[in-house]
């Protein structure tokens, strides 16, 4: 008996009909075979497995019709067995017919694997960003993140703005307003920090969290405890809690970790606990270490800190109460600020009051990418229109379109194939196969294809998902793998759905009942319905390809537009900036800055320096007002007014174009430069140059407009134009930034030099020393990646469409061989045949392209907000998309057309 | 039983033909058939267990092959094996198939095809 052991697992794989009769014999046979010389050793075992596997497959396929197992013990059992037997035979039949057409099978499987896999990859990202609630939180749906929302005030040019983060004072007053009613958690965005511990340094992602953070979220500790009263960063004895994964990774699950210390930014923290396994904070980035955040102490560096707040409440009434109370708290802070400003700057105080009155609060989803959700459509739109998340959403739509194309293509190919097999199908029907069984066989074929495609799709999804998340959101350190079980489920479900579609399409073709008819009439009969269906699918593919291509084009154009609107020579500009938030004393010696500037200007590779109150796109000061020459103010514009103090060569150094007039001169105090938007707002249709505008921002009576510069964003690349005023630097408004025009190759050297000069006097990290390109990278990436991905998807779509067009055309041509032969025999020329064949294909493609364009035009309203400075109906892009598709389509048609034209009439006429 | 027209069963599949041929000179069990066929065709035709028993199942059902009582005496053969032999119908079918093939061979000769020339001819 022992001999059989090595083969028993093979035995199980043989079809039931064989095993029922010959199980023992096959076992003996395999055992004997296994002992043969050629199956000895490792290679022999491999060879044996190959042969046995092949044999099993053959045995399944080899299911001759006359083999019906008789012997009926009970009625129920036969029918079940018979059904099972039928099913097995149908699978065998489907398998054989797929193997008989390897090119067809491969094309369909690859197309579908690509379509489904890309969707899986995108879904893995969508799932991680939008759908999956942070692990470890108890009842995550009842935890609500609090968002501030400043809607548009009528007639003002400000943009609606969502506050996802708050400063310590705001958090404090929100807490005071709601604390007794709803538990509240506050935490800071995760930041990479270098920690010291005995035994060396390590990098970790740290977040400062409030004392009620863990209890509110329902997270328990795996070891030790969480924070208690007053254990914030600035308390006597700061403490830390480790994330579970980090404890395992960095501390090798040390059971004695409690009581050990960690040093971060020269504060020593004592480890008091380890959080429960699986929990790693609320943001996408996993948090390694949680430090105590005691926002009641309001340390200086938290003044502009990014603190996030969430509260727990389960009832809808609770949510409304939460929003109301939190809004009251926030308004209180604004009013307090207004009161503080009243004496110094009445206008700013008025703004603060106005802002306070407009402030509203929404309780959004704890999944940060979902933002405020549907509770505030305006706020939601503002929230979703920027950032990496928006790209993820766009890519989601694109990948769906790609899937549709892939399905249409597969359906097309299946249709063509069914047409080819009409003869066979008709014979089978004539021989008495039931229609139900025939449809079942189509379905099984579709499912087999889908199974193969699903396997491929998992691979594509796995590779693509990892690549996509790295490409789209590289700053996020993802927790958990790419192929979450949900992603796998989506891929498999999509595959099954695709299989259903693929299986049903050919059934539709036989539905009309015309297949039971005589074989002779098939050609004429088939000429009606199914080419229409086929052409319809081709049109669909072409339309979707055009949509994708056009979207790709629009994204590329957006990117170009952004580069134009930026106005700055992003790649050459760099700065050394003493930000008020990073400089401990808040003061910088202008003379020292000037002399450093002079020193840097002399370095090779530096092509000019300027001084300014803040770096380009650093925001600009919002306080101040410029009146019309007659003294009237434009108060509704005040909030979008930005002031800059710059030296004369600022525009030249940064690449900003002076469109009219001149730059500022270093020694003039009453000159002002405005941007085009300001000039048009103040002097619609008139000339701003030479006008004198009253403003309290300068000492003189009024500021004389000496130049007008092109518009540029003031902070974000998506900013709408703002009123921008450039004033000269003065004693009272000294420079805080050196702006350089510098070759990027020498920049590291220059930056090092600036650091060496400044850090001894001001301390490490007091100055922001960076290139503009680095600062804008995060903002530009969505567009850059968007245009790359759209282009790739667009090209894939065209490729898949071409495969469809090619296979369908070549099939149609093959079907028309007879007719073409007659034409040639009757004297048709090569060019006539070419034209004839091409015409059909190009017509279908053009129709599809037109429909696609129509859709893009109709989607104009949806698409335009996703773009930048480009109209979704951009004629250049549309023409390019259509041309690409049609040229490619003609190429795909040419091969079959050429083949048709070369038909030998004698042979063609012989073709039945 | 003898009402069956053997020509209805022709042509035989390569595996069936080889099995019948193998059983034409005596009773054999499954693995014995496989070995004999393999040797006779110098390894060109390898019958896997699945193919072999599928064919035997079909041949048995069609009445060309039947199970024989156990034959003892040969070394290494044990009671575990089932043995097969040709039925009279099987023999007639085999002969009919051989005649059919022979006719084809003669037809080919008559058309001047040289069977001795290489495959490329």
């Amino acid at each position: 008996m022992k001999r059989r052991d090595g083969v028993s697992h093979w035995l199980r794989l043989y079809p039931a009909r064989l095993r029922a009769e010959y199980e023992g014999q096959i076992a003996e046979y395999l055992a004997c075979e296994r002992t043969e010389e050629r199956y000895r050793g490792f290679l022999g075992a491999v060879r044996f497995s190959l042969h046995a596997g092949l044999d099993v497959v053959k045995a399944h396929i080899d299911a001759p019709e006359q083999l019906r197992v008789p012997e009926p013990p009970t009625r129920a059992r036969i029918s079940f067995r018979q059904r099972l037997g039928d099913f097995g035979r149908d699978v065998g039949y489907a398998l054989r017919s797929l193997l008989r057409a390897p090119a067809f099978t491969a094309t369909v499987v690859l197309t579908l694997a690509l379509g489904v896999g890309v969707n899986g990859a995108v879904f893995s990202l969508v799932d991680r960003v939008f759908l999956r609630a942070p692990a470890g939180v108890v009842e995550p749906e009842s935890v609500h993140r609090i968002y501030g929302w400043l809607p548009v005030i009528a007639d003002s040019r400000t943009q609606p703005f969502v506050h996802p983060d708050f400063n310590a004072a705001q958090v404090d007053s929100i807490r005071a307003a709601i604390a007794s009613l709803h538990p509240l958690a506050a935490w800071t965005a995760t930041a990479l920090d270098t920690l010291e511990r005995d035994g060396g340094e390590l990098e970790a992602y740290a977040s400062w969290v409030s004392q009620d953070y863990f209890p509110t979220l329902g997270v328990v500790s795996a070891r030790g405890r969480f924070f208690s009263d007053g254990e914030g960063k600035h308390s006597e004895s700061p403490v830390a809690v480790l994330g579970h994964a980090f404890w395992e990774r960095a501390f090798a699950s040390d059971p004695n970790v409690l009581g050990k210390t960690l040093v971060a930014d020269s504060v020593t923290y004592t480890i008091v606990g380890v959080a429960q396994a699986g929990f790693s904070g609320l943001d996408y980035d996993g948090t390694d270490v949680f430090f105590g955040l005691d926002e009641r102490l309001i340390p200086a560096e938290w003044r502009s800190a990014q603190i996030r707040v969430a509260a727990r409440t389960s009832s809808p009434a609770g949510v409304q109460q939460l929003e109301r109370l939190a809004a009251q708290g926030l308004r209180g802070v604004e009013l307090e600020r207004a009161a503080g400003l009243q004496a110094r700057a009445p206008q700013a105080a008025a703004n603060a009051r106005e802002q306070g009155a407009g402030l509203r609060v929404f309780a959004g989803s704890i999944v940060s990418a979902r933002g405020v959700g549907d509770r505030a459509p305006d706020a939601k739109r503002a929230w979703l229109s920027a950032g990496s998340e928006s790209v993820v959403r766009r890519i989601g739509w694109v990948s769906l379109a790609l899937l549709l194309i892939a399905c249409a293509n597969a359906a097309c190919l299946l249709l063509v194939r069914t047409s080819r097999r009409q003869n066979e199908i008709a014979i089978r029907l004539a021989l008495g196969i039931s229609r139900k069984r025939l449809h079942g066989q189509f379905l099984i074929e579709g499912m087999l294809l889908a199974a193969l495609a699903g396997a491929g799709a998992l691979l594509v999804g796995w590779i693509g998902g990892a690549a996509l998340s790295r490409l789209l959101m590289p700053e996020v350190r993802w927790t958990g793998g790419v192929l979450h079980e949900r992603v796998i489920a989506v891929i498999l479900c999509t595959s099954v759905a695709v299989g259903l579609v693929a299986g049903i399409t050919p059934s539709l073709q036989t539905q009309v009942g015309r297949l039971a008819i005589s074989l002779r009439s098939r050609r004429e009969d088939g000429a009606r319905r199914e080419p229409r269906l086929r052409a319809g699918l081709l049109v669909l593919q072409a339309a979707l390809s055009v949509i994708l291509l056009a979207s790709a084009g629009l994204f590329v154009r957006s990117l170009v537009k952004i580069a134009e609107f930026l106005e700055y020579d992003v790649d050459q500009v760099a700065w050394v900036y003493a930000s008020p938030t990073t400089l401990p004393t808040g003061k910088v010696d202008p003379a020292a800055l000037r002399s450093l500037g002079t020193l840097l200007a002399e370095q090779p590779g530096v092509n000019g320096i300027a001084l300014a109150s803040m770096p380009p796109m650093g925001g600009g000061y919002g306080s101040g007002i410029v009146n019309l020459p007659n003294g009237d103010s434009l108060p509704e514009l005040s909030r979008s007014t930005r002031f800059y103090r710059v030296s004369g060569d600022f525009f030249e150094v940064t690449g900003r174009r002076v469109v009219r007039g001149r730059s500022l001169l270093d020694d003039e105090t009453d000159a002002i430069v405005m941007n085009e938007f300001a000039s048009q707002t103040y002097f619609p249709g008139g000339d701003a140059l030479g006008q004198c505008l009253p403003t309290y921002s300068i000492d003189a009576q009024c500021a004389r407009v000496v130049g007008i510069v092109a518009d540029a964003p003031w902070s974000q690349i998506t900013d709408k134009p703002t009123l921008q005023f450039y004033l000269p630097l003065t004693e009272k408004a000294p420079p805080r930034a050196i702006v350089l025009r510098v070759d990027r190759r020498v920049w590291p050297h220059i930056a090092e030099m600036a650091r060496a000069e400044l850090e001894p006097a001001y301390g490490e990290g007091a100055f922001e020393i960076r290139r503009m390109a680095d600062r804008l990278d995060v903002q530009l990436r969505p567009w850059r990646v968007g245009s790359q991905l759209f282009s790739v998807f667009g090209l894939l779509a065209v490729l898949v469409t071409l495969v469809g067009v090619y296979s369908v055309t070549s099939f149609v041509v093959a079907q028309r061989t007879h007719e073409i032969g007659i034409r040639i025999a009757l004297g048709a020329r090569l060019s006539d045949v070419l034209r004839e064949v091409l015409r059909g294909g190009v017509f279908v493609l053009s129709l599809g392209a037109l429909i696609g364009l129509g859709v893009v035009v109709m989607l104009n309203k949806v698409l335009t907000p996703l773009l930048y400075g480009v109209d979704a109906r951009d004629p250049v892009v549309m023409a390019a998309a259509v041309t690409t598709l049609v040229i490619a389509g003609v190429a795909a048609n040419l091969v079959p057309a050429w083949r048709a034209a070369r038909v030998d009439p004698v042979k063609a006429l012989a073709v039945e | 039983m003898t009402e069956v027209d053997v020509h209805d069963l022709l042509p035989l599949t390569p595996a069936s033909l080889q099995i019948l041929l193998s059983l034409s000179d005596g009773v054999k069990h499954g693995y014995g058939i496989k070995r004999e066929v393999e040797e006779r065709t110098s390894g060109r035709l390898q019958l896997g267990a699945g193919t072999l028993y599928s064919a035997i199942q079909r041949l048995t059902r069609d009445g060309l092959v039947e199970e024989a009582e156990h034959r003892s005496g040969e070394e290494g053969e044990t009671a575990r094996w089932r043995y097969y032999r040709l039925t009279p119908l099987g023999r007639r079918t085999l002969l009919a198939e051989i005649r059919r093939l022979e006719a084809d061979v003669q037809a080919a000769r008559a058309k001047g095809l040289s069977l001795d020339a290489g495959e490329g001819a």
Side-chain angles (χ1 to χ4, degrees):
Chain A
M1 252 8 227
K2 227 177 190 151
R3 275 201 311 159
R4 288 186 186 186
D5 283 352
V7 297
S8 57
H9 55 279
W10 286 111
L11 196 59
R12 280 199 292 274
L13 299 177
Y14 280 90
R17 65 176 163 84
L18 270 187
R19 276 193 292 146
E21 228 169 319
Y22 300 108
E23 178 152 33
Q25 297 297 297
I26 296 176
E28 285 299 329
Y29 177 106
L30 289 177
C32 280
E33 194 173 35
R34 185 75 183 81
T35 57
E36 282 178 25
E37 184 61 46
R38 58 191 159 152
Y39 296 134
R40 299 248 167 84
F42 175 71
L43 276 182
V46 173
R47 200 176 297 137
F48 180 78
S49 302
L50 281 177
H51 285 183
L54 205 64
D55 188 44
V56 165
V57 172
K58 270 197 212 151
H60 276 280
I61 294 178
D62 188 10
E65 293 291 323
Q66 72 261 42
L67 275 188
R68 289 264 155 86
V69 189
E71 42 163 353
T74 64
R75 281 188 83 91
R77 266 186 74 182
I78 343 165
S79 69
F80 176 70
R81 255 206 208 171
Q82 194 148 351
R83 239 182 290 140
L84 204 68
D86 281 355
F87 179 72
R89 266 189 293 283
D90 286 350
V91 171
Y93 176 75
L95 211 61
R96 260 175 296 157
S97 67
L98 288 183
L99 287 179
R100 233 181 290 139
F104 158 81
T105 310
T107 313
V108 172
V109 166
L110 284 181
T111 309
L112 289 180
L114 199 70
V116 177
V118 164
N119 271 272
V122 171
F123 179 75
S124 77
L125 198 60
V126 170
D127 182 44
R128 289 208 270 192
V129 173
F130 291 106
L131 304 180
R132 228 185 284 171
V137 177
V138 175
E139 291 177 31
E141 64 284 355
S142 68
V143 178
H144 301 271
R145 176 130 172 229
I146 293 174
Y147 291 93
W149 164 238
L150 195 59
V152 188
I153 292 160
D155 294 333
S156 119
R157 287 187 184 268
T158 53
Q159 295 180 66
F161 186 62
V162 178
H163 296 271
D165 307 313
F166 300 98
N167 62 33
Q170 290 170 321
V171 174
D172 241 13
S173 76
I174 293 175
R175 183 188 300 282
I178 69 166
S180 57
L181 292 163
H182 306 287
L184 183 124
W187 72 100
T188 65
T190 320
L192 184 62
D193 223 326
T194 306
L195 305 178
E196 289 164 44
R197 57 159 180 181
D198 41 298
E201 291 188 344
L202 74 164
E203 301 255 280
Y205 287 81
S207 174
W208 276 261
V209 307
S210 65
Q211 181 197 318
D212 38 14
Y213 175 81
F214 292 109
T216 302
L217 301 178
V219 176
V220 295
S221 63
R223 258 158 207 284
R225 60 176 180 89
F226 293 139
F227 308 116
S228 54
D229 261 351
E231 285 186 324
K233 186 176 183 181
H234 295 266
S235 68
E236 298 286 303
S237 49
V239 295
V241 169
L242 301 182
H244 200 275
F246 182 65
W247 171 58
E248 288 176 339
R249 196 174 66 237
F251 289 85
S253 305
D254 178 6
N256 303 317
V257 73
L258 303 183
K260 293 197 172 171
T261 57
L262 281 175
V263 181
D265 303 325
S266 50
V267 178
T268 305
Y269 295 87
T270 310
I271 298 170
V272 295
V274 177
Q276 79 184 49
F279 179 77
S280 58
L282 296 180
D283 302 325
Y284 323 125
D285 319 46
T287 306
D288 294 327
V289 188
F290 301 91
F291 294 130
L293 160 68
D294 197 343
E295 64 270 18
R296 277 166 303 177
L297 298 172
I298 313 185
E301 67 259 49
W302 290 123
R303 210 169 295 139
S304 60
Q306 316 267 291
I307 305 176
R308 297 162 180 191
V309 181
R312 184 182 281 279
T313 181
S314 44
S315 69
V319 172
Q320 281 172 8
Q321 187 190 38
L322 181 70
E323 290 176 344
R324 203 178 57 245
L325 293 177
Q328 273 170 20
L330 283 183
R331 272 183 218 129
V333 177
E334 285 306 308
L335 291 180
E336 222 170 280
R337 195 163 71 91
L341 282 170
Q342 189 59 47
R344 278 185 295 136
Q347 181 62 45
N351 287 347
R353 267 194 299 278
E354 191 190 351
Q355 248 184 51
L359 248 178
R360 293 162 70 191
V361 164
F362 288 104
S365 164
I366 194 173
V367 178
S368 59
R370 279 190 244 163
V372 293
D374 293 322
R375 297 187 57 76
D378 289 353
K380 185 184 180 185
R381 212 168 302 128
W383 174 249
L384 290 179
S385 67
S388 318
E389 290 94 350
S390 69
V391 180
V392 175
R393 268 181 325 122
R394 284 167 234 187
I395 297 299
W397 288 113
V398 175
S399 65
L400 269 186
L402 196 61
L403 180 67
L404 258 178
I405 294 181
C407 281
N409 194 358
C412 246
L413 287 169
L414 280 163
L415 275 182
V416 164
R417 208 167 102 84
T418 323
S419 310
R420 266 187 203 164
R421 288 165 63 193
Q422 268 185 24
N423 206 352
E424 177 200 334
I425 293 167
I427 291 174
R428 288 165 67 87
L429 281 171
L431 286 178
I433 188 175
S434 73
R435 205 159 275 278
K436 198 172 143 201
R437 178 103 180 264
L438 189 67
H439 293 250
Q441 283 177 349
F442 287 139
L443 204 59
I444 289 173
E445 229 178 275
M447 285 300 170
L448 276 178
L449 285 173
L452 290 172
L458 281 177
L459 192 71
V460 174
W462 181 46
I463 299 172
L468 263 185
S469 39
R470 249 201 321 277
L471 195 66
L472 283 178
M473 306 174 100
E475 71 282 358
V476 174
R477 200 188 39 140
W478 300 99
T479 50
V482 183
L483 284 188
H484 193 263
E485 57 263 38
R486 235 154 59 184
V487 177
I488 296 177
V490 164
I491 289 183
L492 295 184
C493 288
T494 321
S495 301
V496 169
V498 164
L500 277 174
V501 172
I504 286 171
T505 322
S507 290
L508 289 178
Q509 227 171 329
T510 59
Q511 201 83 60
V512 243
R514 76 197 136 72
L515 272 178
I517 35 90
S518 80
L519 303 178
R520 228 180 313 145
S521 68
R522 75 193 147 93
R523 188 174 294 140
E524 296 78 39
D525 194 60
R528 248 171 288 123
R529 185 182 160 92
E530 118 240 337
R532 222 185 295 152
L533 187 54
R534 210 161 51 212
L537 286 168
L538 274 182
V539 167
L540 176 72
Q541 287 189 49
L544 287 166
S545 297
V546 163
I547 294 174
L548 285 191
L549 273 177
S551 314
L554 289 171
F555 252 93
V556 174
R557 291 272 288 183
S558 293
L559 197 64
V560 173
K561 276 279 151 88
I562 288 170
E564 282 170 11
F565 178 57
L566 272 178
E567 276 292 321
Y568 295 102
D569 293 338
V570 175
D571 245 0
Q572 300 183 52
V573 177
W575 57 74
V576 174
Y577 172 48
S579 160
T581 51
T582 54
L583 201 61
T585 57
K587 289 230 155 61
V588 61
D589 177 12
L593 214 56
R594 273 177 218 278
S595 68
L596 174 63
T598 320
L599 175 70
L600 294 180
E602 285 164 2
Q603 303 305 315
V606 176
N607 303 316
I609 69 139
L611 296 170
S613 52
M614 63 173 47
M617 284 181 71
Y621 298 110
S623 54
I625 189 90
V626 176
N627 290 331
L628 290 170
N630 62 9
D632 285 352
S633 68
L634 295 169
E636 74 275 18
L637 300 176
S638 63
R639 292 202 319 168
S640 59
T641 307
R642 297 283 144 186
F643 285 90
Y644 306 85
R645 298 281 181 172
V646 296
S647 66
D649 30 19
F650 178 81
F651 301 112
E652 198 186 323
V653 166
T654 56
R656 289 286 297 272
R657 274 179 306 130
V658 178
V659 282
R660 300 196 53 216
R662 58 169 174 83
S663 301
L664 296 167
L665 300 176
D666 277 339
D667 51 357
E668 59 188 347
T669 52
D670 61 344
I672 192 167
V673 167
M674 66 203 318
N675 65 346
E676 284 180 300
F677 179 66
S679 127
Q680 282 153 19
T681 310
Y682 275 71
F683 306 100
D687 191 4
L689 270 191
Q691 300 275 2
C692 206
L693 305 175
T695 169
Y696 61 78
S697 300
I698 59 167
D699 294 331
Q701 275 245 285
C702 62
R704 203 158 29 80
V705 180
V706 296
I708 293 164
V709 289
D711 290 332
W714 58 277
S715 169
Q716 305 285 314
I717 46 179
T718 47
D719 290 338
K720 288 180 185 145
T722 43
L723 305 172
Q724 295 173 349
F725 297 99
Y726 293 85
L727 301 165
L729 292 158
T730 60
E731 291 280 312
K732 273 194 258 167
R736 296 184 68 91
I738 305 173
V739 180
L740 300 98
R741 191 179 183 84
V742 58
D743 190 319
R744 67 189 227 177
R745 281 163 298 184
V746 305
W747 171 245
H749 163 68
I750 302 291
E752 200 41 57
M753 194 173 204
R755 246 174 238 124
E757 284 290 318
L758 294 168
E759 285 182 354
Y762 295 93
E764 210 172 306
F767 282 78
E768 181 185 297
I769 300 174
R770 72 195 306 190
R771 292 181 63 228
M772 191 166 189
D774 295 337
R775 174 167 129 60
L776 289 184
D777 182 57
V778 178
Q779 292 189 38
L780 284 174
R781 198 187 312 123
W783 274 274
R784 215 178 281 144
V785 172
S787 62
Q788 280 167 2
L789 280 180
F790 266 74
S791 306
V792 168
F793 282 20
L795 288 179
L796 277 179
V798 169
L799 195 74
V800 170
T801 306
L802 289 190
V803 170
V805 171
Y806 177 83
S807 47
V808 171
T809 320
S810 57
F811 166 72
V812 171
V813 169
Q815 245 191 355
R816 288 174 56 189
T817 309
H818 191 79
E819 174 211 327
I820 292 171
I822 293 177
R823 279 168 190 262
I824 293 176
L826 290 178
R829 277 166 311 166
L830 184 84
S831 56
D832 296 332
V833 176
L834 272 182
R835 202 180 311 130
E836 176 70 19
V837 172
L838 275 177
R839 198 159 55 190
V842 171
F843 173 72
V844 166
L845 280 179
S846 312
L847 186 62
L850 274 181
I851 292 176
L853 284 189
V855 173
V856 174
V857 170
M858 280 196 308
L859 287 180
N860 180 33
K861 277 217 172 68
V862 186
L863 279 175
T864 306
L866 302 178
L867 301 169
Y868 186 89
V870 182
D871 190 88
R873 292 166 299 191
D874 192 289
V876 178
V877 168
M878 295 214 167
V882 173
T883 316
T884 312
L885 183 74
V886 170
I887 288 180
V890 167
N893 266 303
L894 264 181
V895 178
W898 183 252
R899 214 188 296 146
R902 303 281 306 266
V903 161
D904 177 350
V906 180
K907 278 188 195 155
L909 291 175
V911 173
E912 199 269 319
Chain B
M1 186 80 194
T2 47
E3 304 306 313
V4 182
D5 184 356
V6 291
H7 293 285
D8 285 346
L9 300 166
L10 300 186
L12 294 170
T13 65
S16 301
L17 173 61
Q18 294 301 337
I19 292 169
L20 294 185
L21 208 49
S22 172
L23 292 177
S24 64
D25 59 354
V27 175
K28 287 188 186 65
H29 56 64
Y31 193 66
I33 296 172
K34 171 229 152 111
R35 270 212 317 244
E36 198 268 340
V37 168
E38 211 170 292
E39 268 169 40
R40 186 155 41 75
T41 62
S42 330
R44 266 183 299 115
L45 189 73
Q46 301 209 356
L47 292 171
T51 318
L52 177 73
Y53 282 101
S54 289
I56 287 179
Q57 193 174 36
R58 198 181 315 131
L59 292 170
T60 312
R61 200 126 298 163
D62 290 346
L64 303 186
V65 162
E66 64 187 352
E67 212 168 319
E69 325 73 64
H70 171 232
R71 177 186 61 154
S72 61
E74 222 176 290
E75 50 157 351
E77 313 286 22
T78 64
R80 287 199 300 274
W81 287 112
R82 279 153 75 175
Y83 290 81
Y84 299 96
R85 67 162 168 239
L86 285 189
T87 61
L89 174 64
R91 191 165 292 278
R92 274 192 287 127
T93 311
L94 175 62
L95 288 175
E97 174 72 353
I98 302 288
R99 268 196 293 277
R100 194 182 66 81
L101 291 173
E102 213 159 78
D104 288 344
V105 172
Q106 270 167 16
R109 287 231 169 85
K111 282 181 181 281
L113 281 175
S114 165
L115 299 182
D116 300 321
E119 281 171 9

